[in-house]
Amino acid sequence: MPEWLLYPTPHSFISRGMRRKPPRKDRPAFRGNPKEKASQPAKRARGETWIYGLHAVQAALANPRRRLGRAVLTARAAETIGAELLARVRVEPAEAEAINRLLPPGAVHQGAALETEPLAALDLDAVLAQGEPGKRRVVLVLDQLSDPHNVGAILRTAAAFDVAAVIVQDRHAPPQSGALAKAASGALETVPYIEVVNIVRALDRLAERGFWRIALAGDGAEPLTKVIPQGDVALVLGSEGDGIRRLVREHCEAGAFIPIAGQMESLNVSNAAAIALYELRRGTSS
Amino acid sequence: MPEWLLYPTPHSFISRGMRRKPPRKDRPAFRGNPKEKASQPAKRARGETWIYGLHAVQAALANPRRRLGRAVLTARAAETIGAELLARVRVEPAEAEAINRLLPPGAVHQGAALETEPLAALDLDAVLAQGEPGKRRVVLVLDQLSDPHNVGAILRTAAAFDVAAVIVQDRHAPPQSGALAKAASGALETVPYIEVVNIVRALDRLAERGFWRIALAGDGAEPLTKVIPQGDVALVLGSEGDGIRRLVREHCEAGAFIPIAGQMESLNVSNAAAIALYELRRGTSS
């Protein structure tokens, strides 16, 4: 194991030239630009480079693609995670209270916090070039979903239903850490999570590859069951507040809804995604 | 409108003899018992009698069964909610920062916080005596689910799929406010939410009324689609950590799972509930 993995300090962690994405306005960097900081306070809160929660930390430790800083753990969490996974990382024993102070208020860390680099960016074409022949491929496209709990929960469900990729717009996606990783319960390490500049262009690329694009929204034209084709599907979901943007919707072949009772206006977006993925995987495998 | 609704102070709010459930060890009371407080710090955090978030506050204001204290609102939230709903309550204008201080850390209040009493307790038999003839009744039974986000999300989905009641065990249920109400997005006001002392006894009562009891768990014996009967169904869900307790499971006619890919161990419990409710409402209405 390289020495820098055993003894990284916050400084050496940066200076050893670990590959990372170029800093962007909406993305925390290890070294901040004070001008950005002033204009983007919410996005630069402490704890954004941390992954916490037992499942999320275990999965990150088990992911060879993941570059790690230190793991700050209670004795109990360290025991649960086990020596094998912890051999990769410098462990800093701590009380739960001390871990609280490293993370955003209210973070449910279960005694486990892990300093990480974001995963290396993935390319949509490379991801789509994989996949089993004969099995329907499903891709989720999240149009401006910014709530990390929702996006994380969707990643978890995506893993459960064997989704080929989750595509988000980089300018509006929540950071790939913290609350997102916690809600994903390890799925951030296994489901290809692709940040694109332009959702419409990504939909065009999916169409070129034969994906049938379905916009899922409360005011869709037909029930979901009526619009599911035989082949590959890109399912587009919008944010809870604003839904799917018009231009994005216009780049879909179909608009579909999940039938619900009149007394509730809408489903939570992660629950809508779960139902839709279940329906897409139901019965047919072609 | 009675004068006390217009000008309640925290003290008058208590002293005017509003009907409320007797204080219990695990439930916040307006006047605390210092002994309990010491032993139950987590359950007695500030903000527990508050409902926050625009949808949750609007729904509580629209619920005639709901007894209200004051509404603390930003100007923008007050405008969104509207004068009609606010006529019932004393409005206290405030900045978002001041609302933060009233609520638990990290509460996403959207500028709206409403002081409330818990809704009057509901009786299972009375709730089951209602219901449309000829339509399958579905009841959810939550065995020791304590995460307020999950329980709230389940309430929201329950409203969307016309669930007759959500039954929880009083000693383990999260408070009917705060994070639960926020995630429920108004459904706490519309779905009968019934706290019982004993889940097993509640299942017996459901069986007497002809409900088919299905335990939904990752290690269930059959896929859900195979065990759905024609008539009324009680669907039992367990906590994410411990699942359904053995004795509770033994009081179910069937154990069922939702088929998922091998790479993910389990679904989030609110997503599992959403899929199961969708499946129960799918196709058949009898």
Side-chain angles (χ1 to χ4, degrees):
Chain A
M1 182 181 307
E3 174 265 343
W4 62 264
L5 261 180
L6 285 167
Y7 303 106
T9 63
H11 181 71
S12 68
F13 193 47
I14 297 159
S15 60
R16 286 179 194 256
M18 292 171 68
R19 189 170 40 140
R20 35 188 275 247
K21 291 197 262 181
R24 286 183 319 218
K25 278 187 191 141
D26 58 332
R27 178 92 16 213
F30 279 83
R31 284 175 296 195
N33 169 341
K35 216 159 118 195
E36 282 175 28
K37 198 163 190 169
S39 65
Q40 301 272 347
K43 287 278 186 177
R44 298 194 151 270
R46 62 191 176 137
E48 288 214 318
T49 59
W50 291 92
I51 282 180
Y52 54 78
L54 282 172
H55 274 105
V57 166
Q58 280 173 310
L61 289 169
N63 182 2
R65 289 171 55 230
R66 175 70 79 177
R67 314 203 86 175
L68 307 170
R70 59 194 163 130
V72 186
L73 306 171
T74 61
R76 189 170 169 179
E79 196 187 323
T80 306
I81 294 169
E84 197 178 331
L85 282 178
L86 291 175
R88 252 186 91 189
V89 76
R90 179 169 69 105
V91 176
E92 203 174 286
E95 297 297 321
E97 264 305 311
I99 301 176
N100 284 346
R101 287 191 293 273
L102 293 171
L103 303 177
V108 182
H109 54 69
Q110 303 170 301
L114 176 66
E115 204 176 20
T116 62
E117 289 270 309
L119 291 169
L122 293 172
D123 178 65
L124 179 58
D125 292 307
V127 168
L128 294 180
Q130 299 166 2
E132 292 167 50
K135 183 170 182 185
R136 182 211 297 282
R137 286 186 300 176
V138 177
V139 165
L140 288 180
V141 180
L142 310 184
D143 188 28
Q144 306 200 309
L145 261 71
S146 58
D147 180 304
H149 298 98
N150 277 335
V151 175
I154 288 172
L155 275 166
R156 179 172 174 181
T157 311
F161 288 106
D162 212 2
V163 162
V166 174
I167 299 172
V168 297
Q169 192 180 11
D170 56 3
R171 281 189 300 123
H172 294 92
Q176 294 182 37
S177 58
L180 182 152
K182 174 69 167 62
S185 194
L188 181 59
E189 314 298 324
T190 56
V191 176
Y193 182 77
I194 303 174
E195 296 186 347
V196 299
V197 175
N198 189 314
I199 290 280
V200 165
R201 208 170 305 146
L203 284 170
D204 286 344
R205 284 161 71 191
L206 286 161
E208 286 161 20
R209 277 156 195 78
F211 279 77
W212 187 255
R213 299 159 298 177
I214 301 174
L216 191 70
D219 60 353
E222 290 185 90
L224 179 62
T225 47
K226 301 273 189 214
V227 302
I228 296 179
Q230 280 296 306
D232 297 340
V233 168
L235 188 73
V236 183
L237 297 156
S239 76
E240 296 238 10
D242 302 324
I244 302 170
R245 287 172 298 166
R246 190 179 54 79
L247 193 65
V248 173
R249 197 180 288 222
E250 285 170 5
H251 278 72
C252 296
E253 272 90 5
F257 65 92
I258 294 167
I260 59 174
Q263 71 165 304
M264 202 68 201
E265 197 183 310
S266 66
L267 290 164
N268 162 288
V269 66
S270 93
N271 281 346
I275 291 168
L277 291 175
Y278 173 77
E279 186 62 69
L280 283 168
R281 289 292 178 218
R282 197 179 185 282
T284 170
S285 66
S286 65
Chain B
M1 184 180 308
E3 175 264 344
W4 63 265
L5 261 180
L6 285 166
Y7 302 105
T9 63
H11 180 72
S12 68
F13 193 46
I14 298 160
S15 60
R16 285 181 193 257
M18 293 171 67
R19 188 171 39 143
R20 36 189 275 247
K21 290 198 263 184
R24 285 182 321 216
K25 277 184 193 149
D26 59 332
R27 178 89 20 210
F30 279 84
R31 284 174 294 196
N33 170 340
K35 215 158 119 195
E36 280 174 28
K37 199 163 190 169
S39 65
Q40 302 271 346
K43 288 277 189 181
R44 298 196 150 270
R46 60 188 180 142
E48 286 211 320
T49 59
W50 291 93
I51 282 180
Y52 53 80
L54 283 171
H55 274 105
V57 166
Q58 280 173 308
L61 289 169
N63 181 3
R65 287 172 55 229
R66 176 69 80 177
R67 315 204 87 174
L68 308 170
R70 58 193 165 135
V72 186
L73 306 171
T74 61
R76 190 172 168 178
E79 196 187 323
T80 306
I81 294 170
E84 197 179 330
L85 282 178
L86 291 175
R88 250 187 93 189
V89 75
R90 180 168 69 107
V91 176
E92 202 174 288
E95 297 297 320
E97 264 306 309
I99 301 176
N100 284 346
R101 287 191 293 273
L102 293 171
L103 303 176
V108 183
H109 55 70
Q110 302 169 304
L114 177 66
E115 204 175 21
T116 63
E117 290 270 311
L119 291 170
L122 293 173
D123 178 66
L124 179 57
D125 292 307
V127 168
L128 294 181
Q130 299 165 1
E132 293 167 50
K135 183 170 182 185
R136 182 213 295 285
R137 286 185 300 176
V138 177
V139 166
L140 287 180
V141 180
L142 310 184
D143 187 29
Q144 306 199 310
L145 260 70
S146 57
D147 181 303
H149 299 97
N150 277 335
V151 176
I154 288 172
L155 275 167
R156 178 172 174 182
T157 311
F161 290 106
D162 212 3
V163 162
V166 174
I167 299 172
V168 297
Q169 191 180 11
D170 56 2
R171 281 190 301 124
H172 294 91
Q176 294 182 38
S177 58
L180 181 151
K182 174 70 167 63
S185 194
L188 182 59
E189 315 298 324
T190 56
V191 176
Y193 183 77
I194 303 174
E195 296 187 346
V196 299
V197 175
N198 189 314
I199 290 280
V200 166
R201 208 169 307 147
L203 284 171
D204 286 343
R205 283 161 70 192
L206 286 162
E208 286 161 21
R209 277 155 195 79
F211 279 78
W212 188 255
R213 299 159 296 177
I214 301 174
L216 191 70
D219 59 353
E222 290 184 88
L224 179 61
T225 47
K226 301 273 187 213
V227 302
I228 296 179
Q230 281 297 306
D232 297 341
V233 169
L235 188 72
V236 183
L237 296 156
S239 76
E240 297 238 11
D242 301 324
I244 302 171
R245 287 172 298 166
R246 190 181 53 80
L247 192 64
V248 172
R249 196 181 286 222
E250 286 171 4
H251 278 72
C252 295
E253 271 90 5
F257 65 92
I258 295 167
I260 60 174
Q263 71 164 302
M264 203 68 203
E265 199 184 306
S266 66
L267 291 164
N268 162 286
V269 65
S270 91
N271 282 346
I275 290 168
L277 291 175
Y278 173 77
E279 186 62 69
L280 283 168
R281 289 292 178 218
R282 198 179 184 280
T284 169
S285 65
S286 64

